[in-house]
């Protein structure tokens, strides 16, 4: 039998509600006999986790679930289902294993991720800016993918089930692999402004994949983006 009082005490120590108030055990969450926690409201990480892993386990969260800036090294213990948004940005994550199976929005920006493997498979929007991603392989079906400020090496094998993607430009970055997706946005890393001339060329052929490669390649070269005109 688990010690529900201990779990409740730790939970209220590490989390607050959306109004930065202490969680109420009577109304905000339920602890099952196996120790799994069901949140009835949005919960927001309040304190950093010294060991990098949550000291308790969630089953589901009805609302937003926010563990941003808690120094997490793993998502172990996070809920399998989140009815709202799941925020795990600004941690020390090297993997998304343990992320929810479902959430409205996933923000895993500002971590140490080298891959999107394990990412929430049922999600409307994903933000993975400022990580160590080298490709978009492993990304689940998603309507919007915000992936700026990553050290991408290529976009080979980019899934066609990504509808809209936003990345940061780099002079030597091969871009033709992005033609697998439906809409492409490219930012100037210096000022975060859209590179409209480049966007216009890429979106002329977006969604057409390799069959549009040579036509897009020629236009990129003519516009002075020769190093980007590679698959």
């Amino acid at each position: 039998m688990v010690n529900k009082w201990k779990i409740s005490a730790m939970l209220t120590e590490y989390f607050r509600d959306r109004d930065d108030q202490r969680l109420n055990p009577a109304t905000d969450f339920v602890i099952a006999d196996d120790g799994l926690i069901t949140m009835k409201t949005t919960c927001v990480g309040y304190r950093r986790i010294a060991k990098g892993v949550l000291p308790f386990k969630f089953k589901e969260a009805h609302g937003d679930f926010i563990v941003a800036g808690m120094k997490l090294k793993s998502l172990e213990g996070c809920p399998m289902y989140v009815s709202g948004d799941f925020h795990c940005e600004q941690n020390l994550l090297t993997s998304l294993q343990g992320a929810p199976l479902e959430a409205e929005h996933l923000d895993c920006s500002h971590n140490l991720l080298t891959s999107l493997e394990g990412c929430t498979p049922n999600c409307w929007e994903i933000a993975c800016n400022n990580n160590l991603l080298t490709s978009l392989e492993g990304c689940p079906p998603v309507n919007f993918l915000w992936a700026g400020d990553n050290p991408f090496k290529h976009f080979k094998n980019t899934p066609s089930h990504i509808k809209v993607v936003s990345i940061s430009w780099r002079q030597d970055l091969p871009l033709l692999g992005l033609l697998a997706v439906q809409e492409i946005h490219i930012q100037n890393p210096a000022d975060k402004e859209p590179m409209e001339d480049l966007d216009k060329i890429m979106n002329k052929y977006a969604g057409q994949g390799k069959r549009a490669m040579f036509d897009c390649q020629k236009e990129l070269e003519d516009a002075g983006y020769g190093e980007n005109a590679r698959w």
Side-chain angles (χ1 to χ4, degrees):
M1 193 75 174
V2 300
N3 187 330
K4 294 186 181 181
W5 181 89
K6 183 178 180 180
I7 294 173
S8 177
M10 287 192 298
L11 180 60
T12 55
E13 177 184 357
Y14 284 106
F15 285 89
R16 293 289 187 267
D17 66 15
R18 67 167 66 251
D19 298 316
D20 199 31
Q21 300 299 309
R22 189 177 180 87
L23 293 174
N24 185 339
T27 59
D28 293 341
F29 59 87
V30 174
I31 303 173
D33 291 340
D34 59 3
L36 291 178
I37 304 165
T38 295
M39 292 301 307
K40 295 182 176 181
T41 185
T42 288
C43 64
V44 183
Y46 178 72
R47 290 183 56 189
R48 293 177 175 178
I49 306 292
K51 295 183 178 180
V53 181
L54 292 174
F56 31 73
K57 293 186 177 181
F58 293 86
K59 179 181 180 181
E60 54 189 34
H62 298 278
D64 296 338
F65 188 84
I66 302 171
V67 288
M70 296 183 76
K71 283 199 169 182
L72 291 180
K73 298 178 182 178
S74 168
L75 293 178
E76 180 182 349
C78 287
M80 294 181 288
Y81 167 82
V82 177
S83 68
D85 298 338
F86 179 68
H87 288 264
C88 59
E89 67 268 28
Q90 297 179 336
N91 280 296
L92 303 171
L93 300 173
T94 58
S95 169
L96 288 172
Q97 296 297 326
L101 298 177
E102 183 174 347
E104 285 291 320
H105 170 92
L106 166 67
D107 192 340
C108 56
S109 301
H110 295 275
N111 275 288
L112 304 172
L113 300 171
T114 59
S115 168
L116 290 176
E117 294 290 341
C119 192
T120 300
N122 190 355
C123 190
W124 174 261
E125 183 177 34
I126 296 171
C128 55
N129 304 297
N130 294 93
N131 274 287
L132 302 175
L133 300 175
T134 57
S135 80
L136 293 178
E137 294 181 59
C139 182
V142 65
N143 287 278
F144 297 93
L145 178 67
W146 309 102
D149 296 309
N150 277 286
F152 290 115
K153 293 182 178 179
H154 62 79
F155 295 105
K156 298 175 183 177
N157 303 316
T158 293
S160 59
H161 52 230
I162 301 173
K163 290 188 177 179
V164 182
V165 66
S166 175
I167 65 157
S168 298
W169 178 76
R170 200 175 69 240
Q171 185 175 358
D172 64 341
L173 182 61
L175 293 178
L176 294 180
L178 288 177
L179 297 180
V181 307
Q182 301 300 310
E183 187 176 331
I184 302 161
H185 297 283
I186 301 175
Q187 288 184 341
N188 186 320
D191 57 14
K192 308 302 181 185
E193 291 296 319
M195 300 182 68
E196 296 181 358
D197 56 340
L198 188 53
D199 282 2
K200 184 177 180 180
I201 296 172
M202 294 298 296
N203 283 302
K204 181 178 178 180
Y205 301 101
Q208 299 180 49
K210 285 189 175 181
R211 69 178 182 271
M213 177 175 62
F214 294 113
D215 289 338
C216 185
Q217 183 180 48
K218 185 178 186 308
E219 287 205 35
L220 288 174
E221 290 173 346
D222 291 345
Y225 294 105
E227 291 190 62
N228 300 130
R230 295 176 289 128
W231 192 269

